[in-house]
Amino acid sequence: MSDLWPKRQEKKQGDETMTAKFTRFAGRKSTSRLCRGRTERKGRVPTKMNLLRGAAVALVTFIAPALAEETPTMTYPETRKGDAAEVHFGVTVADPFRWLENDARKDAEVAQWIEAQNALSAPYLKGLPHRDVFHRRLTAILDHKTLAPPVERYGRYFFTRTGGLDSQTQLLVRDGADGVDRVLIDPNTWSDDGTVALAEWAASGDGAFVAFAMQDGGSDWRTIRVMNTATGETLDDKVEWARFSNIAWHPDGSGFYYSRFPEPEAGAAFSASVDGHAVYFHALGLNQSEDRLIHPPTPGQALLHTVDVTPDGRYLIVYTSALTGGVAVTVTDLSSADPAPETIVESYDDSWVLLGNVGTKLFFATQKDAPRGRIVTLDMSEPQCAFSELIPERSDAVLREGGSAVLGDRILLSYTIDVQSQVELYQLDGTFDGTVPLPGPGSTGIVRGRPGANEAFFGFTSYDAPLTVLRLDVDAKRTTVWAEPDIAVDLDRITVEPHFYTSKDGTRVPLFIVRRKDIEGPAPTMLHAYGGFGISMVPHFSPAAMAWVEQGGVYALANIRGGGEYGQAWHHAGRRGNKQNVFDDFIAASEYLIDQGITPSDGLAIHGESNGGLLIGAVVNQRPDLFAAALPGVGVHDMLRFDRFTSGATWVEEFGSPAVKEEFHTLLSYSPLHTIREGARYPAILVTTADTDNRVVPAHSFKYAAALQAVDIGTRPHLLRVETRAGHGAGKPTDMVIEELADMWAFAAHWTGLEVTTVD
């Protein structure tokens, strides 16, 4: 799932039934106002019994009339309205559900409210016809082993393996690229409920040790431990309060660099802010209290820092991000007798990624003066230390920094042309040296390899191609399959169609359509998008999409502005004051699907997570008539207070600040919480979140769901599903993923009219 996350981190890539009789009546306008219990009795605190009674009544009053062919109504759990309000630039904004911002671990009223919401939504979702079909198919499709491209260290190959229906991903090691696999770290043994996950990890330069981060219950907090590769022994070293960090070893294997925050006050970890992020060095065998500060925090600024070490171990790189899509860069020569950091990029305006080095020459991919990306070099031995262009920006393609590297004596560059990958090789002097063949249209991922080594690995995937690891002979420009999963889907029946449509202002936007080859007429459609933080939604295989498509539905993905599909300009056209372009692009995609006869007028479901959850909430308010069902997940819904929770302060550069008058008015104009249109006929909405999400705190979803339930917006259900012991998405156990997707897809199938049948 996509996520409000530092640019330097690897960003990884989310719906419906009841009865045919019920479908006939679901669209009719209710003859009575949507029941809200006693939510309007100002100041009344609902008891747990009242909340649960309301949920039970809701189940009876909603399902029974449906079976009796009567217009249904739904009684939602009682939600107290408070009198909180704020004045912004002369505008008074009421915030009656602010009490739902309180931590459920400490506030019994919030905990009871969550319990009542789940007591309403859980039976409803589990009672949907054919939910069991989606559950079985998702289980079958996810039941395969997927390997990630390996990292080689002195003949040892380290890689992760997603093992079928295991709760969590394992870390394995091979002696030799084709050796016998050995499980090195198995997080499935770490907890009874499978909610403790392996997060970031790194092998030392000689492969003797692995430093690995543990993620508990989906939280962004990490605890870092160290394992002896040969013996499997976990050392006594323990580093806590790491967050938004990667791990980079010192070349001599004496320890590693990482990023962390100050230890929060007791009981305040969940709501801790992002002040004080800094880079430290941990020496093996010492206590964390003795860790050495490498890059201090920046007072008064919500900046995040990540670290890297060049493959030869000579240079330490610190990237400092304000989440603008750009970073500042500091370099330290670790070979120096007196290593001193040197800031070579001071602004946060542009992206910079080190691809590798040859001696003192560093090779960077950047969007500085090149919105679609270019390659520049910097020789650290030269007194002026100035950048020189090596490979210029292209007008027909966008450079993918994360899929590029210095390998052997070549530079491998991954470009996207209309959101599909093309991989090329260049000599170190910038001379073009041919293309690398790919299995077909799709996208490539991170490249694992080293300068001076002829062997490299990278992943390839597409909407109809599960992740395959390719082994590259750099000199021969030849790839072979190193690992390939066996998927329980007949992919020969699937077709992928690239489309383009025109947005409101005339902008041409890509749209991918995935469906069965035998589906030609309008079919219930699931539309997905993200549209933010410069994150490109490149083609990738999705078991969830396959479970929808094999039922005869259409799965569509729109590459709307705000992402990086066409470079920096595409991102900037969808951020801050331009955010409405994101919503216009998505609405135009919805209209295109209907106008082209791909989707019936009453058969469109939409889903998105995180920034994509904000997208879904905003477009539903702007065009509720377009959609049959909406699935906003872990979304940012309160655009006037997002910067006051956990990492929200770092998103100001993307969204703008509620404290700036012009930006406040822009945020208020689309904030999902504040733009709900009472009296309009809304689609069915299933809001999903998790209780330990400390990136986009669940209060966003709580307040949004409460606001939806408090007004008359039609008779279709507006439900909240809260997962426990789960966070923003990463680290969620497989069984939880399947349960949530089965609920979402059954909900969307019902309200779009998708006919679900058993699939062998």
Side-chain angles (χ1 to χ4, degrees), residues 307-348:
V307 289
D308 195 7
V309 172
T310 55
D312 64 356
R314 178 162 183 173
Y315 295 103
L316 171 71
I317 314 293
V318 176
Y319 299 94
T320 300
S321 170
L323 265 72
T324 59
V327 294
V329 183
T330 301
V331 179
T332 303
D333 186 349
L334 298 177
S335 69
S336 171
D338 185 20
E342 180 178 354
T343 299
I344 60 172
V345 178
E346 294 184 348
S347 76
Y348 312 114

Side-chain angles (χ1 to χ4, degrees), residues 103-378:
D103 189 345
R105 298 159 191 75
K106 303 175 182 178
D107 189 314
E109 185 183 4
V110 175
Q112 291 169 9
W113 183 87
I114 294 170
E115 186 177 352
Q117 290 288 336
N118 277 339
L120 171 63
S121 61
Y124 172 87
L125 295 168
K126 292 222 171 359
L128 292 171
H130 308 304
R131 180 194 180 276
D132 60 326
V133 176
F134 281 116
H135 192 280
R136 286 197 303 270
R137 287 305 297 152
L138 286 162
T139 301
I141 298 170
L142 282 163
D143 190 8
H144 64 271
K145 290 182 171 58
T146 299
L147 274 58
V151 174
E152 185 271 335
R153 294 289 184 266
Y154 271 68
R156 286 176 169 151
Y157 290 74
F158 299 84
F159 57 94
T160 56
R161 180 179 72 189
T162 304
L165 300 178
D166 287 348
S167 292
Q168 300 294 346
T169 295
Q170 302 168 314
L171 180 65
L172 282 72
V173 63
R174 289 183 187 179
D175 291 325
D178 300 312
V180 177
D181 294 348
R182 173 165 61 96
V183 176
L184 193 62
I185 297 174
D186 185 4
N188 296 291
T189 65
W190 290 348
S191 65
D192 293 336
D193 61 2
T195 59
V196 183
L198 172 67
E200 298 77 20
W201 61 273
S204 61
D206 59 3
F209 298 100
V210 173
F212 61 96
M214 303 172 69
Q215 178 188 23
D216 190 352
S219 169
D220 282 335
W221 291 112
R222 306 288 195 260
T223 298
I224 302 176
R225 305 299 304 269
V226 181
M227 178 173 285
N228 182 307
T229 302
T231 65
E233 174 193 7
T234 299
L235 308 187
D236 291 336
D237 298 71
K238 185 177 183 180
V239 170
E240 297 183 292
W241 309 116
R243 186 177 171 203
F244 304 142
S245 174
N246 56 353
I247 302 168
W249 282 86
H250 191 279
D252 64 6
S254 63
F256 56 85
Y257 302 91
Y258 69 99
S259 308
R260 69 172 172 88
F261 290 94
E263 180 178 350
E265 294 181 4
F270 177 78
S271 59
S273 71
V274 290
D275 295 329
H277 201 238
V279 176
Y280 288 83
F281 177 76
H282 175 76
L284 294 186
L286 298 183
N287 292 324
Q288 182 174 2
S289 60
E290 301 174 82
D291 288 357
R292 180 161 46 96
L293 179 64
I294 300 297
H295 193 94
T298 306
Q301 287 185 278
L303 299 175
L304 304 179
H305 312 282
T306 54
V307 289
D308 195 7
V309 172
T310 55
D312 64 356
R314 178 162 183 173
Y315 295 103
L316 171 71
I317 314 293
V318 176
Y319 299 94
T320 300
S321 170
L323 265 72
T324 59
V327 294
V329 183
T330 301
V331 179
T332 303
D333 186 349
L334 298 177
S335 69
S336 171
D338 185 20
E342 180 178 354
T343 299
I344 60 172
V345 178
E346 294 184 348
S347 76
Y348 312 114
D349 297 333
D350 304 289
S351 64
W352 293 84
V353 175
L354 180 71
L355 304 187
N357 70 303
V358 177
T360 59
K361 180 181 284 189
L362 306 179
F363 294 78
F364 282 94
T366 182
Q367 291 180 331
K368 170 69 173 174
D369 300 324
R372 289 174 174 256
R374 61 174 178 151
I375 304 301
V376 299
T377 61
L378 178 70

Side-chain angles (χ1 to χ4, degrees), residues 538-607:
V538 296
H540 66 283
F541 184 78
S542 166
M546 286 298 108
W548 182 267
V549 167
E550 68 179 8
Q551 291 294 339
V554 172
Y555 193 88
L557 191 143
N559 295 104
I560 60 180
R561 282 173 286 185
E565 287 86 346
Y566 289 102
Q568 190 179 60
W570 197 252
H571 173 209
H572 288 179
R575 66 185 279 258
R576 298 183 78 103
N578 296 322
K579 192 67 174 176
Q580 184 59 42
N581 287 335
V582 174
F583 312 134
D584 289 343
D585 287 358
F586 191 87
I587 289 169
S590 305
E591 294 173 327
Y592 176 87
L593 289 167
I594 294 170
D595 293 345
Q596 295 298 309
I598 297 168
T599 305
S601 59
D602 59 350
L604 181 60
I606 56 176
H607 81 101

